Amino acid sequence: MSMLCATKIIQRETMVEPSIVDRVVLDADERHRRRIVMIGEGGTEFLLDLPEAVALRHGDGLVLEDGGVVLVAAKPEALVEITAVSPTELTRLAWHLGNRHTPVQVAVSSLRIRRDHVLEEMLQKLGAAVTPIEAPFDPESGAYGHADHADEPDRHAPSHVDDGHSHDHHHHAHER
């Protein structure tokens, strides 16, 4: 018997009465895939075979060719929750993280990043409250619709898009 393939995703928002046969638990990087063999917690082995790399979200379903659905679950990761005294200060902190090309999850009144002692120290110096937590990480996918995974060989997304415009990219301290 050949291996089952999953070539379609049902987004969590549109899932109605799925026939869930198994579940895969993946961290944020593992949830950004195009083609890989996966094994669910219940032993279902299948080939994820999508036309392009997609950021899978917690609660999405991978539709197997036999109609079964493998549920995607986000694995808890070592993160820090970042809060500030005001929305303006939180926006300023988000700008500093974005300026460092750091994957960030945006919540209603906080930001989340993976644990990084250098960034945590910088944020605290900027007045942030930084709280270590274990939680699923669901970072923003980026302005061009993909997460930047330059260190992963199966993803060849450019870190900057050449759209014919000049882009000065200065990385230096700004006085306040």
Side-chain angles (χ1 to χ4, degrees), residues 29-168:
D29 291 334
E30 293 167 336
R31 288 193 319 271
H32 192 269
R33 295 289 179 201
R34 185 189 81 75
R35 184 173 160 82
I36 189 170
V37 172
M38 294 185 163
I39 301 175
E41 290 180 319
T44 303
E45 186 172 4
F46 64 98
L47 174 65
L48 178 66
D49 191 12
L50 302 172
E52 59 187 29
V54 174
L56 301 168
R57 301 285 183 209
H58 178 80
D60 286 349
L62 305 174
V63 182
L64 301 172
E65 59 198 346
D66 68 0
V69 175
V70 177
L71 192 63
V72 175
K75 181 188 293 184
E77 300 184 50
L79 307 175
V80 290
E81 185 138 53
I82 303 154
T83 56
V85 296
S86 71
T88 301
E89 285 301 303
L90 192 62
T91 302
R92 187 171 66 86
L93 297 170
W95 182 88
H96 281 283
L97 291 169
N99 196 39
R100 284 153 183 83
H101 303 277
T102 301
V104 176
Q105 179 177 342
V106 178
V108 174
S109 58
S110 66
L111 304 170
R112 289 182 176 179
I113 63 170
R114 286 191 171 114
R115 296 291 316 262
D116 180 315
H117 71 279
V118 173
L119 291 176
E120 291 172 44
E121 186 177 312
M122 174 200 74
L123 290 163
Q124 288 169 330
K125 285 180 180 176
L126 291 169
V130 177
T131 307
I133 62 170
E134 284 279 326
F137 187 45
D138 196 17
E140 292 294 312
S141 61
Y144 299 105
H146 59 76
D148 183 15
H149 296 280
D151 58 331
E152 296 185 28
D154 64 336
R155 297 191 185 102
H156 301 289
S159 59
H160 294 86
V161 173
D162 181 5
D163 58 4
H165 294 81
S166 172
H167 296 280
D168 290 341

